[in-house]
Amino acid sequence: MPAQPTGAPAPRDGRIPATSAAGCETRDFSLYVHIPFCSVRCGYCDFNTYATEDFGNGIGLGTYADDAIAEILFAARTLETSGVAKRPMRTVFFGGGTPTKLPARDLVRILQAAIDVFGLVEGAEVTTEANPDSVTREDLQTLKDGGFTRVSFGMQSVVPEVLQVLDRTHTPSNVPKVVAWAKEVGLQVSVDLIYGSPGESLQQWERSVRAAISYEPDHISAYSLIVEDGTKLAAQIRRGEYTMPDEDLMADMYLLAEELLTEAGYNWYEVSNYSRSEDTRSDHNLAYWRNQDWWGIGPGAHSHVNGTRWWNVKHPVPYAQKVRAGESPAAAREVLDTATRAFETIMLMIRVREGLAMRELLAVHDEAQLGASLRWLVSQALIEPDALNSQADPDPEAHVRLTLKGRLLGDAVTRELLPEISEEHEEY
């Protein structure tokens, strides 16, 4: 499990600086609820999760809903005393871990507590992640009746050998069953896929994509496997037990997913995410990519309010002790300067289909240098040509949008658009 980032000490009362409180009324507000419990810790996972239900001293799965609610109440008080404009939640997302390790009634109780103190925008998206083996039809009905609108199932692959490498324990045949149940009770459905597992072939990846399409979910995520230091899988690769696929195979997997998903009526709206329509995109993830505001509930959860970012202590025991004492569970925080915020906007928004507003780039770039970078990116077919006006200069009203080739080489595009680290051009 990776170490948390460094930062300045967080105040015990959680007060948000006045510079960040100002102007929040124009920004969307979301809630993330982290559920840190899993039946088994997957070998590739570097999230803050624990394969235990009882940490002793009255702290564990059975008390977690109350601790999460305690932080929700703390968040509401802190935002009010900091002078942050009260806004209803536009999205709510329960992630993990495995949120559905908690009883469905506890998830609903946490959601209702948040609605009681923050309110909820009409038509708001409320999502929980779920392991296909950890929910029943009755659970899904309880979630729907309790205000959830969407469920995201961790499918990863349909191939048992691939799931074994990832240490995934769910039964592949359960995925179509739970997808059908969720649709029957009226929930939108997303399924998550991972490609590039050690030993996975292009044919095996195709089986998984075709299977996911056959379940007819509203949304499909297709993420490339990133092996993080400190994970079991990283150690296995280091010992030579597994070998990662080469970059060409990874690119072929992405292109195959793009082809199959597009043919089936799914359209990309972020580099790794596809939906049947605008109404079935993940609004919560878009809030992250658009750098909006959110409060993260739970151990290790990250929060962001208008340029102030903080992260909670990682272990459930000190987390519970702090929220029960009415203190901020934050381990540290940072107040982002203008340059860092611009840097992050470029990195995030270039990934999204709507693209990066040219105004964001003109605010941090010399126009002549930016024009040269954009002309080169267009010449390499990495961005759409409409970023330039008829004189081949940056169009202030345009957006910089990735081509399919640009999605494959998104890091190179980002490097070119970040003024402080632009490098000599290479041919792609």
Side-chain angles (χ1 to χ4, degrees), residues 69-86:
I69 290 170
E71 189 184 357
I72 289 170
L73 298 175
F74 174 86
R77 292 193 301 270
T78 298
L79 292 171
E80 182 178 5
T81 58
S82 299
V84 176
K86 183 175 182 180

Side-chain angles (χ1 to χ4, degrees), residues 72-333:
I72 289 170
L73 298 175
F74 174 86
R77 292 193 301 270
T78 298
L79 292 171
E80 182 178 5
T81 58
S82 299
V84 176
K86 183 175 182 180
R87 295 157 289 167
M89 300 176 295
R90 185 163 292 277
T91 67
V92 183
F93 193 98
F94 286 67
T98 306
T100 45
K101 281 283 288 182
L102 259 64
R105 63 181 181 278
D106 277 354
L107 298 178
V108 169
R109 191 156 62 89
I110 295 169
L111 173 61
Q112 190 56 58
I115 293 172
D116 288 344
V117 296
F118 294 119
L120 194 66
V121 171
E122 184 176 355
E125 175 190 279
V126 181
T127 303
T128 185
E129 293 179 335
N131 183 302
D133 286 358
S134 68
V135 289
T136 64
R137 191 185 188 287
E138 291 71 24
D139 292 332
L140 294 168
Q141 186 69 64
T142 297
L143 294 172
K144 172 63 176 176
D145 293 344
F148 284 79
T149 65
R150 188 173 180 273
V151 62
S152 180
F153 291 112
M155 175 180 169
Q156 277 69 55
S157 174
V158 76
V159 180
E161 295 87 348
V162 174
L163 293 173
Q164 183 176 3
V165 170
L166 296 173
D167 282 340
R168 292 292 295 183
T169 59
H170 73 264
T171 305
S173 60
N174 277 345
V175 178
K177 182 169 60 178
V178 296
V179 168
W181 287 344
K183 290 194 288 188
E184 286 171 7
V185 304
L187 292 167
Q188 282 191 7
V189 179
S190 176
V191 297
D192 292 348
L193 298 173
I194 292 178
Y195 64 91
S197 298
E200 183 179 27
S201 68
L202 187 63
Q203 292 73 28
Q204 288 174 323
W205 171 237
E206 180 175 357
R207 282 175 56 193
S208 294
V209 177
R210 289 190 182 279
I213 290 170
S214 74
Y215 308 152
E216 299 184 343
D218 303 287
H219 182 282
I220 296 177
S221 298
Y223 297 110
S224 64
L225 177 65
I226 298 174
V227 180
E228 301 286 0
D229 289 341
T231 61
K232 174 185 173 183
L233 185 56
Q236 290 172 312
I237 291 171
R238 192 166 53 249
R239 292 193 298 265
E241 297 174 26
Y242 293 126
T243 302
M244 287 296 293
D246 62 33
E247 291 184 1
D248 289 341
L249 177 56
M250 295 286 277
D252 287 343
M253 288 177 165
Y254 185 86
L255 292 171
L256 178 62
E258 167 75 14
E259 177 184 352
L260 295 176
L261 290 167
T262 301
E263 287 178 355
Y266 294 88
N267 296 306
W268 84 279
Y269 69 96
E270 190 274 341
V271 168
S272 301
N273 287 272
Y274 297 78
S275 67
R276 288 193 177 277
S277 70
E278 290 191 10
D279 293 337
T280 57
R281 295 177 178 183
S282 171
D283 289 338
H284 189 82
N285 284 341
L286 283 169
Y288 291 153
W289 294 318
R290 291 169 177 163
N291 250 340
Q292 296 298 312
D293 294 344
W294 68 89
W295 193 295
I297 301 295
H302 286 231
S303 303
H304 172 257
V305 173
N306 200 17
T308 295
R309 182 162 55 206
W310 66 96
W311 44 95
N312 287 349
V313 294
K314 293 185 73 170
H315 198 275
V317 171
Y319 168 79
Q321 291 169 340
K322 286 178 177 291
V323 296
R324 291 176 188 184
E327 298 178 10
S328 169
R333 79 175 187 187

